[in-house]
Amino acid sequence: MPKQPDAPASELAEFGYKQELNRTLSTTDLIVYGLVFMVPIAPWAIFGVVFNEAKGMVPLVYIIGLVAMIFTALSYAQMSKAFPIAGSVYSYVGRALHPVLGFFAGWTILLDYLLVPTLLYVFAAESMSGIFPGVPKPLWIIVFLVINTAVNYVGISFTAIVNRLFLAAELVFVVIFVIMAVVAISRGTDGAAFTTAPLFNADLFTPQLAAAALSIAVLSFLGFDGIATLSEEAKGGRRSAGIAMISGLVLVAIFFVTQTWLAAMLVPGRTEFGEDEANNAFFGLVGQISGSGWMVAFLAMNALAVGIANAVAAQSATSRLLFSMSRDGRLPRFLAHIDPKSKAPQRAILLVAGLTLVLGLVFVGQIDVISTLVNFGALTSFLLLHVSVIGYYAVKRRSKNVFLHWVSPILGFLIIGFVLYNADASAKIGGVIWLGVGALVLLYYTRKGTGVLEEHAADPFTTAESGSSLEADRA
């Protein structure tokens, strides 16, 4: 069986596209991008809140989250192998099921991708205001936005360098915390002791707690899916994005579990923080075992990781999704423009920056409202993703891989469906309104003219019948 090329221009031609983006990212770059998007130090900001919900079993929450989200990661890996193009779930659902469903998959995750940068800037502004209370929060949003837009505007190669630098900085702080925590626990500071109780406490564990933990855990891992939007910039072949998504998910879970396990051991016998204490519980623990200087340093690292590194990754993903939908004629065509020098979708990047600026200034101080809408967008698109795996592989290709193409997507669908069903009512209302707007957008562009995907509407599997796709499916 002849070896197929990894991801040349001819492969994109099968799907009706030409190579426009800069294909320079290695699989390692994709893993780094995914880690930065998910933020290895993410538990710092929400440790106290999750601690209260989980009765002290915070690491258990992240273990549950890893198990729950691995099914979605497997579905992404399967579809990114079949359709190695930039549109992520928009392209997967559109080509595996139907262009209209693909549009709605893209439209719902666009809600996630447009609001994630906004949420990150608001988070970062809140953190920086704790360090510099005299500086207005909107000013921090503008500062972070300008930096991140400049990084993305230069091109994906520079973005990859920035990602590596910030990931290295975050991991240095993780190591510092691990050392400080292990020393404090070994010395028995404030009664701290090594124990497995934070991993699982049979006396406190209940099915209701597990259900609540599932919702928290699934939402904590959002971001790994952004790797799929960089498929046309990866040079590692069809499997590259899938390998990066699964690897990134497992690695970030290890970081989450390690940090929260150690942090929970620093508060022995406690299952709850006070309402005011919970918001900054992790940073309080750092100050308790090291001093106020380190606490400020950790607060600053958290703000920079969220406000710059995480937001850079989110802006990259959003601009690539806009690029993909616009070149198919689903959004304004000018967003599909690629700068000849940077090989980046600079117009899409600038649009994301403009929208984020407006949204950030409007929603500053309203983290809960943004979070609920972000969750609806991501979870709804994940449901369609799982259906597309079954439709493409199990039904159309008649795959004999029962686990990957039947069991895994069904389990993933049920898990995501459960979380979405139990989501906040305001998230569902806002999500339905967003879908209504999407229906109007789809109607407008459908009447205006046909796009690339319409060529496959009669048989959305046409492109996959080519030789290289058949080889990819069998591999």
Side-chain angles (χ1 to χ4, degrees), residues 40-52:
I41 60 175
W44 294 3
I46 60 174
F47 176 76
V49 175
V50 179
F51 188 93
N52 289 352

Side-chain angles (χ1 to χ4, degrees), residues 92-353:
Y92 306 155
V93 176
R95 292 182 178 273
L97 298 177
H98 193 277
V100 171
L101 290 176
F103 171 83
F104 281 110
W107 185 256
T108 53
I109 206 165
L110 188 59
L111 177 63
D112 170 19
Y113 284 177
L114 284 175
L115 289 178
V116 161
T118 304
L119 179 63
L120 297 174
Y121 292 134
V122 172
F123 260 127
E126 293 286 346
S127 296
M128 293 304 287
S129 68
I131 304 173
F132 304 101
V135 180
K137 294 176 185 177
L139 181 59
W140 287 118
I141 292 176
I142 294 172
V143 169
F144 287 132
L145 180 64
V146 169
I147 294 172
N148 296 337
T149 301
V151 170
N152 272 302
Y153 198 83
V154 171
I156 196 65
S157 296
F158 182 62
T159 303
I161 294 172
V162 173
N163 286 339
R164 287 181 180 241
L165 291 174
F166 269 97
L167 179 61
E170 290 179 48
L171 296 184
V172 166
F173 271 80
V174 170
V175 171
I176 291 171
F177 172 72
V178 168
I179 293 172
M180 291 192 303
V182 170
V183 170
I185 295 168
S186 63
R187 291 177 176 175
T189 304
D190 295 328
F194 289 100
T195 175
T196 58
L199 290 174
F200 184 78
N201 188 333
D203 295 332
L204 297 176
F205 185 81
T206 64
Q208 292 76 19
L209 186 149
L214 180 62
S215 297
I216 296 170
V218 166
L219 302 178
S220 297
F221 287 100
L222 293 183
F224 75 91
D225 51 291
I227 293 173
T229 64
L230 303 182
S231 291
E232 289 180 35
E233 292 158 281
K235 59 183 180 180
R238 286 176 176 265
R239 295 179 177 273
S240 184
I243 292 171
M245 281 185 273
I246 295 171
S247 300
L249 193 62
V250 172
L251 285 172
V252 84
I254 292 172
F255 292 130
F256 288 176
V257 170
T258 300
Q259 294 174 91
T260 56
W261 187 5
L262 290 170
M265 286 190 283
L266 294 171
V267 284
R270 294 188 64 173
T271 58
E272 190 173 3
F273 288 102
E275 185 175 345
D276 295 333
E277 188 183 11
N279 292 330
N280 290 295
F282 183 89
F283 303 105
L285 290 176
V286 171
Q288 173 186 314
I289 63 176
S290 62
S292 59
W294 274 113
M295 182 176 71
V296 172
F298 272 71
L299 278 167
M301 183 69 252
N302 181 70
L304 292 174
V306 172
I308 296 181
N310 193 192
V312 164
Q315 192 178 44
S316 296
T318 310
S319 61
R320 270 60 179 182
L321 178 60
L322 289 175
F323 160 75
S324 183
M325 294 182 73
S326 61
R327 73 177 173 184
D328 286 344
R330 298 302 193 182
L331 291 176
R333 290 278 188 182
F334 79 92
L335 294 174
H337 172 76
I338 298 296
D339 182 79
K341 292 184 178 180
S342 68
K343 299 294 184 181
Q346 291 184 340
R347 293 177 183 174
I349 290 169
L350 291 176
L351 178 63
V352 174

Side-chain angles (χ1 to χ4, degrees), residues 33-45:
Y33 171 85
L35 288 173
V36 168
F37 207 153
M38 289 182 282
V39 192
I41 60 175
W44 294 3

